[in-house]
Amino acid sequence: MAGKYKKVAYYPGCALEGTGHAYNRSTKAVGKKLGLDLVEIKDWNCCGAMEVKNIDPKIQTYLSARNLSIAEKMGFETVMAPCNGCYHNLKKAEYDLAKDEGSRDVNSRLSEKAGHKTYEPGKVETIHALDWIKHSIGEEGLAERVTNSLKGLKVANYYGCMYTRPRHIFPEKDNGEGSESTSKPHFMDDLLAAAGAENVDYPLKTACCGGAHALSDCDTSTKLVLNLLTTAEACGADVIATECPTCHTGLEMHQVRAEKVLGRKTSVKILYFTQLLGMAMGLSPRTVGVHENFSDAMPLIKEKGLG
Amino acid sequence: MPIHEKSLIRPENLVEHENLVIDGVDVSGHWSTFIESRALSDYNENMQDEIEALAGGEHISRCWQCGSCTNACTVNAINPDFNPRFWIYLIRLGMEEELVRDKDIIWQCVSCNKCTYACPRDVNPEGVMKATAHWLELKGHTKKKPSMVFDEAFSQQVFDTGKIEDGLVLRQFMKRTGQPLTQPWLVALVMGLVRRFPVFYLMRLGLATVFRPRTKGWIKARAAIHEYVEEVETANRKALGLDAKGAE
Ligand code: SF4
Ligand code: SF4
């Protein structure tokens, strides 16, 4: 297992260049610390996010497949995408190209006209940042590198929707021992536990934050997020660990909105799991971009002696 | 949570009579509630075919009405009127008028795919919700909903440049939906960011137009996508029996 994902193609996606920059920064910092190489896909494009499929799903398949085709051309067998949305879309493209002739036709037609090689399914494997660390370093490897244990930090692990649903695009999940579960995912829990964190039993791991309508239907999103936040607090969590920039930004944004609009203040902090892992391995809060988060976790980090 | 079952009996059709005797039997008051009969003449026999022709609606005819989708649904938990199973039922029967009564909430599906996960028949109810929302707009039953405005602003930017800049999408969306950028919670959000990290975050939010992300060598892809989008739009309108080009 060791070394399986030692060097992979990196697909940051648009969010990680924008509002999710702290995730980009912490993912790279953690990779460097662990001796894992990330090579960014050259001239990548947006995967289609949550929106393009509502105009037409086959364009989304093409957009995602173009990135896979570049990764293949660069000689990679694996693409790592830390954003749930990107990860989901690349997986979905892989599935649709393998199973649906219509998607294949549109993809080859658009690829030809755009002047690049058509991506054939099965050439490149897409993984999430969680798979990447779990399968290349593992819990034991991680525990060996922890210098600044997260001991005493109570964490609610939040995975959101796109990491596990719909189930059929993730054939490797629910697939026997050691595989990820779609009903009760645990890869993030495993990694953070290895770094010393105390994971609380959070029942809303795969609940929805309303990210698709974070702006177009604010009230729904605020209600959904408030439920996530208050439940995390009721479970005794100090922090919600995230693994998706859309979820992360949605939680931060609607935490503010819940306070301003509904008068419901919550104080649970929101950090990317890569930020927590980085600090556990001795990286400074600044190196993992804690100052770029909206949710100000510095007082908590100081209190727990993490930075 | 129990499955919320929606009744086809409209509240305005429930009647109680203060004093009513039928064949010598007193049927006055609350214990003898009557339902006024109503004739349904609004069947649209093409409705299922039309939804099926739109992206996402392909598998609607597989539905066996188990209600697992509604039971699992994120939005149903906060609004019991949001009921995917019921809408699928109406569409399959062709009860257009009945469906149109919910035109202002169908678009609120958050695409969480809890329904898709739960559905035993691979109907892809999430897709059916999107197809239905799209159908309502194409048929002119409703104006474009905020989510469609957002999806279009977003997709346009991807098609044009290959990439997205969150701040630009935000501003365009607020402009197109006529919302001020000065809503108190947005201001609080921006001020909080500015306080801690001035220049960088202004750039991130695109408030200072410093850079525009774009994908190198995108021009040909852009032309190909635009051509394809037009084709899809024409095909959709044709499937719904509308003229070639719709009013914006
Ligand atoms: S995808 Fe839409 S319809 Fe399905 S469960 Fe989520 S909100 Fe409900
Ligand atoms: S879960 Fe599937 S089969 Fe059951 S009612 Fe919903 S769409 Fe129909």
Side-chain angles (χ1 to χ4, degrees):
Chain A
M1 193 156 91
K4 185 173 175 199
Y5 296 133
K6 169 105 190 38
K7 186 171 180 181
V8 295
Y10 181 46
Y11 179 63
C14 306
L16 266 69
E17 289 199 334
T19 43
H21 191 258
Y23 194 22
N24 197 357
R25 193 171 168 138
S26 52
T27 300
K28 286 183 178 168
V30 164
K32 197 166 159 205
K33 188 81 187 172
L34 293 173
L36 303 173
D37 295 329
L38 294 174
V39 183
E40 190 162 323
I41 295 182
K42 211 168 160 284
D43 296 329
W44 55 266
N45 60 275
C46 172
C47 67
M50 301 280 291
E51 286 77 10
V52 171
K53 76 164 178 37
N54 298 334
I55 305 299
D56 185 75
K58 295 193 178 73
I59 305 178
Q60 179 149 310
T61 306
Y62 164 69
L63 290 172
S64 296
R66 180 182 178 274
N67 295 309
L68 294 172
S69 111
I70 301 172
E72 187 196 346
K73 202 173 152 200
M74 287 168 73
F76 285 98
E77 282 169 10
T78 307
V79 173
M80 191 278 275
C83 165
N84 271 0
C86 301
Y87 165 69
H88 173 278
N89 285 352
L90 299 185
K91 285 280 196 197
K92 176 142 194 320
E94 185 71 41
Y95 180 88
D96 285 350
L97 290 175
K99 308 273 178 192
D100 176 48
E101 206 184 315
S103 301
R104 265 200 302 277
D105 288 349
V106 172
N107 182 47
S108 46
R109 194 180 122 188
L110 292 178
S111 301
E112 255 164 52
K113 286 198 177 157
H116 59 82
K117 192 168 171 283
T118 302
Y119 176 73
E120 306 283 345
K123 292 281 162 63
V124 179
E125 180 196 19
T126 300
I127 60 168
H128 190 271
L130 287 169
D131 301 310
W132 176 57
I133 300 176
K134 174 104 174 166
H135 294 313
S136 57
I137 304 293
E139 290 94 309
E140 275 174 34
L142 199 61
E144 280 166 19
R145 291 170 170 86
V146 169
T147 55
N148 205 359
S149 168
L150 302 176
K151 199 161 179 297
L153 189 70
K154 297 208 171 92
V155 183
N157 290 271
Y158 177 59
Y159 299 80
C161 302
M162 314 279 275
Y163 178 69
T164 54
R165 285 190 301 269
R167 177 172 22 206
H168 61 258
I169 65 172
F170 305 110
E172 71 285 7
K173 290 182 180 158
D174 298 329
N175 200 12
E177 207 184 324
S179 70
E180 182 61 300
S181 155
T182 59
S183 56
K184 210 173 176 207
H186 53 82
F187 277 15
M188 182 157 55
D189 294 68
D190 298 347
L191 295 177
L192 290 172
E198 195 183 309
N199 294 315
V200 304
D201 196 1
Y202 189 49
L204 300 180
K205 281 177 196 300
T206 64
C208 178
C209 71
H213 290 173
L215 288 168
S216 48
D217 190 7
C218 283
D219 292 338
T220 299
S221 300
T222 304
K223 275 184 216 154
L224 294 173
V225 168
L226 187 60
N227 191 28
L228 294 170
L229 299 171
T230 50
T231 306
E233 289 188 349
C235 294
D238 303 313
V239 43
I240 297 180
T242 57
E243 39 83 293
C244 166
T246 309
C247 298
H248 185 98
T249 315
L251 291 182
E252 291 188 321
M253 192 165 113
H254 289 283
Q255 186 171 38
V256 175
R257 195 168 183 270
E259 189 184 333
K260 295 281 164 198
V261 180
L262 304 179
R264 297 284 303 273
K265 188 172 160 54
T266 44
S267 52
V268 63
K269 303 299 173 206
I270 302 146
L271 287 166
Y272 289 107
F273 85 98
T274 41
Q275 294 181 311
L276 289 167
L277 287 186
M279 288 188 284
M281 292 188 291
L283 298 176
S284 75
R286 207 176 172 81
T287 308
V288 294
V290 172
H291 59 295
E292 291 180 8
N293 292 349
F294 181 79
S295 164
D296 187 3
M298 274 321 283
L300 174 73
I301 289 170
K302 290 223 176 78
E303 184 199 316
K304 301 283 175 190
L306 292 171
Chain B
M1 211 197 64
I3 296 172
H4 173 81
E5 278 307 318
K6 185 158 173 157
S7 164
L8 274 172
I9 303 166
R10 297 180 186 171
E12 61 267 29
N13 290 351
L14 291 174
V15 281
E16 281 171 27
H17 297 275
E18 245 173 66
N19 290 303
L20 183 65
V21 178
I22 296 176
D23 292 341
V25 182
D26 183 1
V27 287
S28 312
H30 187 64
W31 293 103
S32 301
T33 301
F34 288 81
I35 304 157
E36 273 185 4
S37 63
R38 108 189 128 105
L40 290 171
S41 54
D42 61 323
Y43 283 103
N44 171 356
E45 286 177 7
N46 298 325
M47 206 159 150
Q48 174 169 280
D49 294 344
E50 291 176 2
I51 303 272
E52 245 171 12
L54 298 178
E58 296 87 348
H59 306 306
I60 186 170
S61 64
R62 291 180 187 165
C63 175
W64 62 20
Q65 287 292 302
C66 69
S68 301
C69 48
T70 297
N71 191 37
C73 177
T74 298
V75 180
N76 176 266
I78 44 180
N79 178 7
D81 284 337
F82 190 97
N83 191 337
R85 180 208 59 80
F86 177 63
W87 294 326
I88 292 174
Y89 173 74
L90 296 179
I91 294 164
R92 299 205 56 204
L93 283 183
M95 297 176 76
E96 180 158 355
E97 199 189 311
E98 203 66 42
L99 182 83
V100 170
R101 286 159 71 90
D102 286 332
K103 66 182 175 6
D104 293 326
I105 54 174
I106 295 175
W107 68 278
Q108 288 180 309
C109 160
V110 288
S111 292
C112 67
N113 270 318
K114 290 223 168 199
C115 50
T116 312
Y117 191 95
C119 178
R121 297 279 296 159
D122 276 345
V123 169
N124 183 14
E126 185 268 346
V128 175
M129 291 306 106
K130 294 297 158 192
T132 307
H134 199 179
W135 180 87
L136 286 165
E137 292 178 5
L138 283 171
K139 282 277 184 175
H141 286 306
T142 165
K143 281 221 286 285
K144 270 184 192 153
K145 295 299 181 192
S147 61
M148 186 47 99
V149 175
F150 188 82
D151 293 343
E152 285 181 351
F154 189 102
S155 302
Q156 204 53 50
Q157 214 187 105
V158 179
F159 299 164
D160 286 348
T161 64
K163 284 191 185 178
I164 275 298
E165 187 224 314
D166 348 33
L168 184 63
V169 175
L170 173 80
R171 278 174 295 133
Q172 279 184 349
F173 170 73
M174 292 300 187
K175 205 171 138 207
R176 288 195 194 183
T177 50
Q179 295 185 58
L181 276 169
T182 49
Q183 302 175 57
W185 70 274
L186 264 181
V187 172
L189 196 69
V190 175
M191 290 313 286
L193 295 171
V194 172
R195 204 177 56 237
R196 295 217 314 278
F197 210 76
V199 186
F200 177 77
Y201 244 107
L202 282 177
M203 270 174 59
R204 290 276 160 243
L205 277 169
L207 297 175
T209 318
V210 180
F211 75 106
R212 283 270 172 276
R214 32 177 83 242
T215 302
K216 258 198 246 139
W218 187 248
I219 301 169
K220 279 203 259 169
R222 171 185 165 158
I225 293 173
H226 278 294
E227 186 191 83
Y228 174 72
V229 171
E230 263 184 41
E231 255 175 53
V232 172
E233 277 170 5
T234 312
N236 284 348
R237 298 190 64 81
K238 197 170 158 220
L240 269 55
L242 304 165
D243 12 312
K245 202 76 201 160
E248 265 299 286

